[in-house]
Amino acid sequence: MNSTEPAGTGTRGRPALWAAALTLVVVSVVVGFRAVGTDGMTPVPQALAFLPWLLVPGGVGLGLAALARWRTGMVWAAVVLALTVWFLRPYGPGSTGAHGPVLARLSVLTSNVEFGGATDALITAVRSARPDIVFVEECDFHCADALAARVPHTAYPYRNVVRLDGSLGSAILSRHPLRPTGGIDGAMAMPGSVAVVAGKDVRLQLAHPMPPIPGMVGKWRTELGRVRDFAAGSKGSRTIVAGDFNASQDHAAFRAVLDAGGLHDSARIAGASRTYSWPADRSSPLRTQIDHVLVSDDFSVRSARFLRLDGTDHRALLVGLDLHAG
């Protein structure tokens, strides 16, 4: 046996050893970026979206190290797996800390209708669930026209619609009075409004930054940074930020949005922090939650439910909120 080989490793064990080392290096790089709180560059942001699935190659690495009788590799794999499990914990506190009398009960729906493809299903869901505030991403010309024609203005008299084609358009519909405010600059429209709920101003902001596809990670990081800046500027005010963030709790850029504004992820508060929203196809093994409704400390969260809508690769998110006087 060569003195540089791990104890018990012979010629037959070398393929398993090298396979274990390669697997653990890849997993360790992604987990390492998660540990230091940065998203890195391609392919790290894409891999971070599916962090729980790193348990699979991590387990394979452990098995290969055991097969090769590589003790260092087994310890390495155990550490990587332990860190991955640690990071699977929900991010943020378990409640918003809202207190005081309840001024109003709200339901909020956000849906990426994928180039308008799920417009019909969205309208059906709105008629059924009757949310108080609706955020719509990728609302193309057809979507905007359908919302105007088929969602009664008597039900949603207040609207902020950015009429653009393809994935660029967006809309906010409300049962409560709205006044427009400046939105967030981005390749896809991210409008903002102020809703008057029970006599109180509530800042509404739709989020839809670019996705972190290869070649666009810098743009994704910049636009999520603008969402973070909005959150920081709104800290201390009643705020709801909702939409397709193209980021999960395992992305540092998304956690920065929460931290900067003192915001809370409704799904996390409702106990659904790992419930997937994309892709909606249940046959896909790799799924993640990138659609969120974030709220300030003024709200408590009653419920969070993900809805399958035909025609889109995103599941809509419907949350129940209470606005507190405190």
Side-chain angles (χ1 to χ4, degrees), residues 66-263:
L67 182 64
R69 301 172 67 183
W70 181 27
R71 294 177 183 174
T72 300
M74 287 187 281
V75 173
W76 180 5
V79 170
V80 169
L81 288 169
L83 282 173
T84 304
V85 171
W86 175 260
F87 290 131
L88 296 187
R89 297 174 306 148
Y91 185 76
S95 69
T96 64
H99 60 280
V102 174
L103 298 178
R105 306 199 101 190
L106 294 173
S107 57
V108 176
L109 176 70
T110 181
S111 177
N112 180 324
V113 293
E114 193 181 9
F115 302 98
T119 299
D120 291 345
L122 171 66
I123 292 173
T124 299
V126 167
R127 289 173 175 170
S128 174
R130 297 177 57 83
D132 296 282
I133 301 170
V134 183
F135 295 83
V136 190
E137 304 85 56
E138 299 197 18
C139 186
D140 65 353
F141 291 147
H142 161 72
C143 169
D145 290 342
L147 293 178
R150 297 167 52 198
V151 177
H153 282 261
T154 52
Y156 294 91
Y158 309 102
R159 307 182 182 210
N160 184 354
V161 179
V162 181
R163 186 180 167 81
L164 294 170
D165 204 11
S167 66
L168 305 181
S170 295
I172 301 174
L173 280 60
S174 175
R175 296 183 182 276
H176 299 275
L178 290 183
R179 63 177 186 268
T181 61
I184 298 174
D185 289 337
M188 297 178 287
M190 292 189 277
S193 294
V194 174
V196 181
V197 181
K200 305 294 184 180
D201 285 354
V202 177
R203 297 195 67 175
L204 306 179
Q205 178 58 55
L206 185 146
H208 194 200
M210 290 294 290
I213 58 178
M216 296 297 292
V217 170
K219 186 74 171 175
W220 167 76
R221 185 177 286 112
T222 296
E223 293 192 357
L224 266 174
R226 292 172 185 162
V227 178
R228 178 202 61 219
D229 292 344
F230 167 84
S234 301
K235 191 170 185 177
S237 63
R238 303 171 192 87
T239 303
I240 300 174
V241 186
D244 170 12
F245 286 74
N246 279 309
S248 74
Q249 71 172 48
D250 297 310
H251 289 111
F254 176 72
R255 298 193 301 276
V257 173
L258 294 172
D259 295 340
L263 300 175

